[in-house]
Amino acid sequence: KLGCMTWKQRIDELMLSGESVDSIARHMGVTANAVREIIKGRTAAPRADAAISLLALHQSLIRSTPSTSEAA
């Protein structure tokens, strides 16, 4: 399950690191509203290509720690 993190948790971490909803959305190739829908829990997961982009952004900006990447 991708390191036991939800898509919302990945977005939350990116936002805590200084990324805006708009910049995350641009990187994912979706609208800011689509990102907000994930944050609010109305959308469980982005479409496949957007999910891959979100995962790549998260991995490039958030340094993996044993508790997030190796616990799975």
Side-chain angles (χ1 to χ4, degrees):
K1 191 178 165 181
L2 296 176
C4 298
M5 291 185 75
T6 65
W7 297 111
K8 179 190 179 316
Q9 288 170 323
R10 290 182 187 280
I11 292 169
D12 287 344
E13 279 196 354
L14 288 167
M15 292 177 67
L16 285 171
S17 76
E19 293 296 313
S20 68
V21 169
D22 288 334
S23 68
I24 294 168
R26 259 191 317 277
H27 188 84
M28 291 174 65
V30 300
T31 65
N33 191 54
V35 174
R36 285 191 283 275
E37 292 291 304
I38 295 168
I39 293 168
K40 292 179 180 178
R42 291 189 277 234
T43 301
R47 65 180 198 270
D49 59 333
I52 291 168
S53 295
L54 174 57
L55 184 59
L57 177 64
H58 186 267
Q59 288 178 336
S60 71
L61 296 179
I62 307 297
R63 296 292 172 224
S64 295
T65 63
S67 62
T68 60
S69 64
E70 296 173 10

Coordinates of all heavy atoms in Angstrom, one line a residue:
K1 N 0.8 -1.2 0.0 CA 0.0 0.0 0.0 C 0.9 1.3 0.0 O 0.6 2.2 0.7 CB -1.0 0.0 1.2 CG -2.0 1.0 1.1 CD -3.0 0.9 2.3 CE -3.8 2.1 2.4 NZ -4.7 2.1 3.5
L2 N 1.9 1.3 -0.8 CA 2.7 2.4 -1.0 C 3.2 3.0 0.3 O 3.1 4.2 0.7 CB 2.0 3.5 -1.8 CG 1.6 3.2 -3.2 CD1 0.8 4.3 -3.8 CD2 2.8 2.9 -4.0
G3 N 3.9 2.2 1.1 CA 4.5 2.6 2.3 C 3.5 2.9 3.4 O 3.8 3.6 4.4
C4 N 2.3 2.4 3.3 CA 1.2 2.5 4.3 C 0.7 4.0 4.5 O 0.2 4.3 5.5 CB 1.6 2.0 5.7 SG 2.0 0.2 5.6
M5 N 1.0 4.8 3.5 CA 0.5 6.2 3.5 C -0.7 6.3 2.6 O -0.6 5.8 1.5 CB 1.6 7.2 3.1 CG 2.7 7.3 4.1 SD 3.9 8.5 3.6 CE 3.0 10.0 4.0
T6 N -1.6 7.1 3.0 CA -2.7 7.4 2.1 C -2.3 8.6 1.1 O -1.3 9.3 1.4 CB -4.0 7.8 2.8 OG1 -3.7 9.1 3.5 CG2 -4.4 6.8 3.8
W7 N -3.1 8.8 0.1 CA -2.8 9.9 -0.8 C -3.0 11.2 -0.1 O -2.2 12.1 -0.2 CB -3.7 9.8 -2.0 CG -3.5 8.6 -2.8 CD1 -4.3 7.6 -3.0 CD2 -2.3 8.3 -3.6 NE1 -3.8 6.6 -3.8 CE2 -2.5 7.0 -4.2 CE3 -1.1 8.9 -3.8 CZ2 -1.5 6.4 -5.0 CZ3 -0.2 8.3 -4.6 CH2 -0.4 7.1 -5.2
K8 N -4.0 11.3 0.8 CA -4.2 12.5 1.6 C -3.0 12.8 2.5 O -2.5 13.9 2.6 CB -5.4 12.3 2.5 CG -5.7 13.6 3.4 CD -6.8 13.3 4.4 CE -7.0 14.4 5.3 NZ -5.9 15.1 5.9
Q9 N -2.4 11.7 3.1 CA -1.2 11.9 4.0 C 0.0 12.4 3.1 O 0.7 13.3 3.6 CB -0.9 10.6 4.7 CG -1.8 10.2 5.7 CD -1.6 8.8 6.2 OE1 -1.3 7.9 5.5 NE2 -1.8 8.6 7.5
R10 N 0.1 11.9 1.9 CA 1.2 12.4 1.1 C 1.0 13.9 0.7 O 2.0 14.6 0.8 CB 1.3 11.5 -0.2 CG 1.8 10.1 0.1 CD 1.9 9.3 -1.2 NE 2.2 7.9 -0.8 CZ 3.4 7.5 -0.5 NH1 4.4 8.3 -0.5 NH2 3.6 6.2 -0.2
I11 N -0.2 14.2 0.4 CA -0.5 15.7 0.1 C -0.3 16.5 1.3 O 0.4 17.6 1.3 CB -1.9 15.8 -0.5 CG1 -2.0 15.2 -1.8 CG2 -2.3 17.3 -0.5 CD1 -3.4 15.0 -2.4
D12 N -0.7 16.0 2.5 CA -0.5 16.8 3.7 C 1.0 17.0 4.0 O 1.4 18.1 4.4 CB -1.1 16.0 4.9 CG -2.7 16.1 5.0 OD1 -3.2 16.9 4.2 OD2 -3.2 15.3 5.7
E13 N 1.8 16.0 3.8 CA 3.2 16.1 4.0 C 3.8 17.2 3.1 O 4.7 18.0 3.4 CB 4.0 14.8 3.9 CG 3.9 14.0 5.1 CD 4.9 12.8 5.1 OE1 5.6 12.6 4.1 OE2 5.0 12.1 6.1
L14 N 3.4 17.1 1.8 CA 3.9 18.1 0.8 C 3.5 19.5 1.2 O 4.3 20.4 1.1 CB 3.3 17.7 -0.6 CG 4.0 16.5 -1.2 CD1 3.1 16.1 -2.4 CD2 5.4 16.8 -1.6
M15 N 2.3 19.7 1.7 CA 1.9 21.0 2.1 C 2.6 21.5 3.3 O 3.0 22.6 3.4 CB 0.4 21.0 2.3 CG -0.4 20.8 1.0 SD -2.2 20.8 1.2 CE -2.5 22.4 1.7
L16 N 2.9 20.5 4.3 CA 3.7 20.9 5.4 C 5.1 21.3 5.1 O 5.8 22.1 5.7 CB 3.7 19.8 6.4 CG 2.5 19.6 7.3 CD1 2.5 18.3 8.1 CD2 2.2 20.7 8.1
S17 N 5.6 20.8 3.9 CA 7.0 21.1 3.5 C 7.0 22.4 2.7 O 8.0 22.8 2.2 CB 7.5 20.0 2.6 OG 7.0 19.9 1.3
G18 N 5.8 23.0 2.5 CA 5.8 24.3 1.8 C 5.1 24.3 0.4 O 5.0 25.4 -0.2
E19 N 4.7 23.2 -0.1 CA 4.0 23.1 -1.4 C 2.6 23.6 -1.2 O 1.9 23.3 -0.2 CB 4.0 21.7 -1.9 CG 5.4 21.2 -2.3 CD 6.0 21.9 -3.4 OE1 5.4 22.2 -4.5 OE2 7.2 22.3 -3.3
S20 N 2.1 24.3 -2.2 CA 0.7 24.8 -2.2 C -0.1 23.8 -2.9 O 0.4 22.9 -3.7 CB 0.6 26.1 -2.9 OG 0.9 26.0 -4.3
V21 N -1.4 23.8 -2.7 CA -2.4 23.0 -3.4 C -2.2 23.2 -4.9 O -2.2 22.2 -5.7 CB -3.8 23.3 -3.0 CG1 -4.8 22.6 -3.9 CG2 -4.0 22.8 -1.5
D22 N -2.1 24.4 -5.4 CA -1.9 24.7 -6.8 C -0.7 24.1 -7.4 O -0.7 23.5 -8.5 CB -1.9 26.2 -7.0 CG -3.2 26.9 -6.9 OD1 -4.2 26.2 -7.0 OD2 -3.2 28.1 -6.6
S23 N 0.5 24.1 -6.6 CA 1.7 23.5 -7.2 C 1.6 22.0 -7.2 O 2.1 21.4 -8.2 CB 2.9 24.0 -6.4 OG 2.9 23.5 -5.1
I24 N 1.0 21.4 -6.2 CA 0.8 20.0 -6.2 C -0.1 19.6 -7.4 O 0.2 18.6 -8.1 CB 0.2 19.5 -4.9 CG1 1.2 19.7 -3.7 CG2 -0.2 18.0 -4.9 CD1 0.6 19.6 -2.3
A25 N -1.2 20.3 -7.6 CA -2.1 20.0 -8.7 C -1.4 20.1 -10.0 O -1.6 19.3 -10.9 CB -3.3 21.0 -8.6
R26 N -0.6 21.2 -10.2 CA 0.1 21.4 -11.5 C 1.0 20.2 -11.7 O 1.1 19.7 -12.8 CB 1.0 22.7 -11.4 CG 0.3 23.8 -12.2 CD 1.3 25.0 -12.3 NE 2.1 25.3 -11.1 CZ 1.7 26.1 -10.1 NH1 0.5 26.6 -10.1 NH2 2.5 26.3 -9.1
H27 N 1.8 19.8 -10.7 CA 2.7 18.6 -10.9 C 1.9 17.3 -11.2 O 2.4 16.5 -12.0 CB 3.5 18.4 -9.6 CG 4.6 17.4 -9.8 ND1 5.8 17.7 -10.3 CD2 4.6 16.1 -9.5 CE1 6.5 16.6 -10.4 NE2 5.8 15.6 -9.9
M28 N 0.7 17.2 -10.6 CA -0.1 16.0 -10.9 C -0.8 16.0 -12.2 O -1.3 15.0 -12.7 CB -1.1 15.8 -9.7 CG -0.5 15.4 -8.4 SD -1.8 15.4 -7.1 CE -2.8 14.1 -7.6
G29 N -1.0 17.2 -12.7 CA -1.7 17.4 -14.0 C -3.2 17.3 -13.7 O -4.0 16.9 -14.6
V30 N -3.7 17.8 -12.6 CA -5.1 17.9 -12.2 C -5.4 19.3 -11.8 O -4.5 20.2 -11.6 CB -5.5 16.9 -11.1 CG1 -5.2 15.5 -11.6 CG2 -4.7 17.2 -9.8
T31 N -6.7 19.6 -11.5 CA -7.0 20.9 -11.0 C -6.8 20.9 -9.5 O -6.7 19.9 -8.8 CB -8.5 21.1 -11.2 OG1 -9.3 20.2 -10.5 CG2 -8.9 21.1 -12.7
A32 N -6.7 22.1 -9.0 CA -6.5 22.3 -7.5 C -7.7 21.8 -6.8 O -7.6 21.2 -5.7 CB -6.3 23.8 -7.2
N33 N -8.9 21.8 -7.4 CA -10.1 21.3 -6.8 C -10.0 19.8 -6.6 O -10.4 19.2 -5.6 CB -11.3 21.7 -7.6 CG -12.6 21.3 -6.8 OD1 -12.8 21.7 -5.7 ND2 -13.5 20.5 -7.4
A34 N -9.4 19.1 -7.6 CA -9.2 17.6 -7.5 C -8.3 17.3 -6.3 O -8.6 16.3 -5.6 CB -8.6 17.1 -8.8
V35 N -7.3 18.1 -6.0 CA -6.4 17.9 -4.9 C -7.2 18.1 -3.6 O -7.1 17.4 -2.6 CB -5.2 18.8 -4.9 CG1 -4.3 18.7 -3.7 CG2 -4.3 18.4 -6.2
R36 N -8.0 19.2 -3.6 CA -8.8 19.5 -2.4 C -9.8 18.4 -2.1 O -10.1 18.1 -1.0 CB -9.5 20.8 -2.6 CG -8.6 22.0 -2.4 CD -9.4 23.3 -2.3 NE -9.8 23.8 -3.6 CZ -9.1 24.5 -4.4 NH1 -7.9 24.9 -4.1 NH2 -9.6 24.9 -5.6
E37 N -10.3 17.7 -3.2 CA -11.3 16.6 -3.0 C -10.6 15.5 -2.3 O -11.2 14.8 -1.5 CB -11.8 16.2 -4.3 CG -12.8 17.2 -5.0 CD -14.1 17.4 -4.2 OE1 -14.8 16.4 -4.0 OE2 -14.4 18.5 -3.9
I38 N -9.3 15.2 -2.6 CA -8.6 14.2 -1.9 C -8.3 14.5 -0.5 O -8.5 13.7 0.4 CB -7.2 13.9 -2.7 CG1 -7.5 13.3 -4.1 CG2 -6.4 12.9 -1.9 CD1 -6.3 13.3 -5.0
I39 N -7.9 15.8 -0.3 CA -7.7 16.3 1.1 C -8.9 16.1 2.0 O -8.8 15.7 3.1 CB -7.2 17.7 1.1 CG1 -5.8 17.8 0.4 CG2 -7.2 18.3 2.5 CD1 -5.4 19.3 0.1
K40 N -10.1 16.4 1.4 CA -11.3 16.4 2.2 C -11.9 15.0 2.3 O -12.9 14.8 3.0 CB -12.4 17.3 1.6 CG -12.0 18.8 1.8 CD -13.0 19.7 1.1 CE -12.5 21.1 1.3 NZ -13.4 22.1 0.7
G41 N -11.3 14.0 1.6 CA -11.8 12.6 1.6 C -12.9 12.3 0.7 O -13.5 11.2 0.8
R42 N -13.3 13.2 -0.2 CA -14.4 13.0 -1.1 C -13.9 12.1 -2.3 O -14.7 11.5 -3.0 CB -15.0 14.3 -1.6 CG -15.8 14.9 -0.5 CD -16.6 16.1 -1.0 NE -15.7 17.3 -1.1 CZ -16.0 18.4 -0.6 NH1 -17.1 18.6 0.1 NH2 -15.1 19.4 -0.7
T43 N -12.6 12.1 -2.5 CA -12.0 11.3 -3.6 C -10.9 10.5 -2.9 O -10.0 11.0 -2.2 CB -11.4 12.1 -4.7 OG1 -12.4 12.9 -5.3 CG2 -10.7 11.3 -5.7
A44 N -11.0 9.2 -3.0 CA -10.1 8.3 -2.3 C -8.7 8.3 -2.9 O -7.7 8.2 -2.2 CB -10.6 6.9 -2.2
A45 N -8.7 8.3 -4.2 CA -7.4 8.3 -4.9 C -7.4 9.0 -6.3 O -8.5 9.0 -6.9 CB -7.0 6.8 -5.1
P46 N -6.3 9.6 -6.7 CA -6.3 10.2 -8.0 C -6.2 9.1 -9.1 O -6.0 8.0 -8.8 CB -5.0 11.0 -7.9 CG -4.1 10.3 -6.9 CD -5.1 9.7 -5.9
R47 N -6.5 9.6 -10.3 CA -6.4 8.6 -11.4 C -4.9 8.2 -11.5 O -4.0 8.8 -11.0 CB -6.9 9.2 -12.7 CG -6.1 10.4 -13.2 CD -6.7 11.0 -14.5 NE -5.7 11.8 -15.1 CZ -5.5 13.1 -14.9 NH1 -6.3 13.7 -14.1 NH2 -4.5 13.8 -15.5
A48 N -4.7 7.1 -12.3 CA -3.4 6.4 -12.3 C -2.2 7.4 -12.6 O -1.2 7.4 -11.9 CB -3.4 5.3 -13.2
D49 N -2.3 8.1 -13.7 CA -1.2 9.0 -14.1 C -0.9 10.1 -13.0 O 0.2 10.4 -12.7 CB -1.3 9.6 -15.5 CG -2.6 10.4 -15.7 OD1 -3.6 10.2 -15.0 OD2 -2.6 11.3 -16.6
A50 N -2.0 10.6 -12.5 CA -1.9 11.6 -11.4 C -1.3 11.0 -10.2 O -0.5 11.7 -9.5 CB -3.2 12.3 -11.1
A51 N -1.7 9.8 -9.9 CA -1.1 9.1 -8.7 C 0.4 8.9 -8.8 O 1.1 9.2 -7.9 CB -1.8 7.8 -8.5
I52 N 0.8 8.5 -10.0 CA 2.3 8.3 -10.2 C 3.0 9.7 -10.1 O 4.1 9.7 -9.5 CB 2.5 7.7 -11.6 CG1 2.0 6.3 -11.6 CG2 4.0 7.7 -12.0 CD1 1.9 5.6 -13.0
S53 N 2.4 10.7 -10.6 CA 3.1 12.0 -10.5 C 3.1 12.5 -9.0 O 4.1 13.1 -8.6 CB 2.3 13.1 -11.3 OG 2.4 12.8 -12.7
L54 N 2.0 12.3 -8.3 CA 2.0 12.6 -6.9 C 3.1 11.8 -6.1 O 3.8 12.4 -5.3 CB 0.6 12.4 -6.3 CG 0.5 12.6 -4.7 CD1 0.9 14.0 -4.3 CD2 -0.9 12.3 -4.3
L55 N 3.2 10.5 -6.4 CA 4.2 9.7 -5.7 C 5.6 10.2 -6.0 O 6.4 10.3 -5.1 CB 4.0 8.3 -6.1 CG 4.9 7.2 -5.4 CD1 4.7 7.3 -3.9 CD2 4.6 5.9 -6.0
A56 N 5.8 10.5 -7.3 CA 7.2 11.0 -7.7 C 7.5 12.3 -7.0 O 8.6 12.5 -6.5 CB 7.2 11.2 -9.2
L57 N 6.5 13.2 -6.9 CA 6.7 14.5 -6.2 C 7.0 14.3 -4.8 O 8.0 14.9 -4.2 CB 5.5 15.4 -6.4 CG 5.6 16.8 -5.7 CD1 6.7 17.6 -6.3 CD2 4.2 17.5 -5.8
H58 N 6.2 13.5 -4.1 CA 6.4 13.2 -2.7 C 7.8 12.6 -2.5 O 8.5 13.0 -1.5 CB 5.3 12.2 -2.2 CG 5.3 12.0 -0.8 ND1 6.0 10.9 -0.2 CD2 4.8 12.7 0.3 CE1 5.9 11.0 1.1 NE2 5.1 12.0 1.4
Q59 N 8.2 11.6 -3.3 CA 9.5 11.0 -3.1 C 10.6 12.0 -3.3 O 11.7 11.8 -2.7 CB 9.6 9.8 -4.0 CG 8.8 8.6 -3.5 CD 8.8 7.4 -4.4 OE1 9.2 7.5 -5.6 NE2 8.5 6.2 -3.9
S60 N 10.5 12.9 -4.2 CA 11.5 13.8 -4.5 C 11.7 14.9 -3.5 O 12.8 15.4 -3.3 CB 11.4 14.5 -5.9 OG 10.3 15.4 -5.9
L61 N 10.6 15.3 -2.8 CA 10.6 16.4 -1.9 C 10.7 15.9 -0.4 O 11.2 16.7 0.4 CB 9.4 17.3 -2.1 CG 9.4 18.0 -3.4 CD1 8.1 18.9 -3.5 CD2 10.6 18.9 -3.6
I62 N 10.1 14.8 -0.1 CA 10.1 14.3 1.3 C 11.1 13.2 1.4 O 10.9 12.1 0.7 CB 8.7 13.8 1.6 CG1 7.6 14.9 1.3 CG2 8.6 13.4 3.1 CD1 7.7 16.1 2.1
R63 N 12.0 13.3 2.2 CA 13.0 12.3 2.4 C 12.4 11.1 3.2 O 11.8 11.3 4.2 CB 14.2 12.8 3.2 CG 15.0 13.9 2.5 CD 15.7 13.3 1.3 NE 16.2 14.4 0.5 CZ 16.1 14.5 -0.8 NH1 15.5 13.5 -1.5 NH2 16.6 15.4 -1.5
S64 N 12.5 10.0 2.6 CA 12.0 8.8 3.2 C 12.7 8.5 4.5 O 13.9 8.6 4.6 CB 12.1 7.6 2.3 OG 11.3 7.8 1.1
T65 N 11.9 8.0 5.5 CA 12.4 7.6 6.8 C 12.0 6.1 6.9 O 11.1 5.6 6.3 CB 11.9 8.4 7.9 OG1 10.5 8.2 8.0 CG2 12.2 9.9 7.8
P66 N 12.7 5.4 7.8 CA 12.4 4.0 8.0 C 10.9 3.8 8.4 O 10.3 2.8 8.0 CB 13.3 3.5 9.1 CG 14.5 4.4 8.9 CD 13.9 5.7 8.5
S67 N 10.3 4.7 9.1 CA 9.0 4.6 9.6 C 8.0 4.7 8.4 O 6.9 4.2 8.5 CB 8.7 5.6 10.7 OG 8.8 6.9 10.2
T68 N 8.3 5.4 7.4 CA 7.4 5.6 6.3 C 7.7 4.7 5.1 O 6.8 4.3 4.4 CB 7.3 7.1 5.8 OG1 8.6 7.4 5.3 CG2 6.8 8.0 6.9
S69 N 8.9 4.4 4.8 CA 9.2 3.6 3.6 C 9.5 2.2 3.8 O 9.3 1.4 2.9 CB 10.3 4.3 2.8 OG 11.5 4.2 3.6
E70 N 10.0 1.8 5.0 CA 10.4 0.4 5.2 C 9.4 -0.3 6.1 O 9.6 -1.5 6.3 CB 11.8 0.4 5.8 CG 12.8 1.0 4.9 CD 14.2 1.1 5.5 OE1 14.4 0.6 6.6 OE2 15.0 1.8 4.9
A71 N 8.4 0.3 6.6 CA 7.5 -0.3 7.5 C 6.6 -1.3 6.8 O 6.0 -2.2 7.3 CB 6.7 0.7 8.3
A72 N 6.4 -1.1 5.5 CA 5.5 -1.9 4.7 C 6.2 -3.2 4.4 O 6.4 -4.1 4.3 CB 5.2 -1.2 3.4

